[in-house]
Amino acid sequence: MPTLRIEQPSDDASLEQWRHVHNTIIPTDPLSLDEVRERVRRNRLAVAFAGDELVGCSTVRPPNDDTTAATVIVRILPAHRRQGLGGQFYEHELAEARKLDADGIETIILASNTDGLRFAESHGFVEFERYVLPGDTIPFITLRLS
């Protein structure tokens, strides 16, 4: 299994890599580069590579007014799933989230991402909320680490 190289985006090129993965995994809520620039100011974003190949991105959100939990979202491009990369990336980002002094850990997954849901559930997450963004039909599922 290849070892991941995980980096925080530091320029527009790496933010564009993060955006590419996000928009591939979440086509119902595509982000512009400006929206990604705004997110990197309030969340910890990361991109992951196996060798020189981009394989995924992540978001770690600190607790906020809406939740006392930290949120960890790891996205792996379909061609790189079921190779252990998601597990490596998740463990790294979970360690980052645990530094935030949160009351728990949550993740959010688009309901149509059955691989992501299966991964989250196999790592101890339990569904506790579903919501649909305005104009969408596919719900997002919020899960909490039990």
Side-chain angles (χ1 to χ4, degrees):
M1 170 174 38
T3 301
L4 283 184
R5 178 171 44 92
I6 300 167
E7 301 176 354
Q8 289 187 265
S10 59
D11 56 22
D12 280 353
S14 55
L15 289 173
E16 182 59 40
Q17 290 172 319
W18 186 95
R19 185 179 87 89
H20 166 73
V21 175
H22 175 279
N23 290 353
T24 298
I25 306 299
I26 309 173
T28 62
D29 190 25
L31 298 176
S32 69
L33 185 55
D34 284 340
E35 289 169 315
V36 176
R37 286 185 191 119
E38 188 276 323
R39 284 186 184 208
V40 77
R41 287 192 289 272
R42 57 186 165 88
N43 301 316
R44 181 188 183 282
L45 305 184
V47 288
F49 300 86
D52 291 329
E53 190 167 2
L54 177 66
V55 299
C57 77
S58 69
T59 303
V60 175
R61 294 182 195 153
N64 58 44
D65 293 340
D66 295 331
T67 181
T68 57
T71 302
V72 177
I73 304 168
V74 171
R75 303 168 198 91
I76 299 293
L77 291 168
H80 302 285
R81 293 178 183 166
R82 294 189 175 97
Q83 300 173 31
L85 300 172
Q88 284 182 57
F89 201 6
Y90 165 73
E91 289 300 327
H92 183 274
E93 297 306 273
L94 185 60
E96 291 296 322
R98 288 190 169 130
K99 296 175 187 176
L100 297 175
D101 193 34
D103 288 340
I105 304 290
E106 296 177 353
T107 193
I108 302 168
I109 301 171
L110 191 61
S112 60
N113 182 355
T114 57
D115 287 340
L117 288 170
R118 191 173 19 254
F119 179 90
E121 290 168 350
S122 74
H123 283 80
F125 284 87
V126 177
E127 177 179 343
F128 78 92
E129 179 183 43
R130 286 181 181 237
Y131 62 93
V132 178
L133 294 176
D136 281 350
T137 58
I138 301 172
F140 282 90
I141 301 172
T142 304
L143 302 101
R144 185 171 273 250
L145 191 57
S146 57

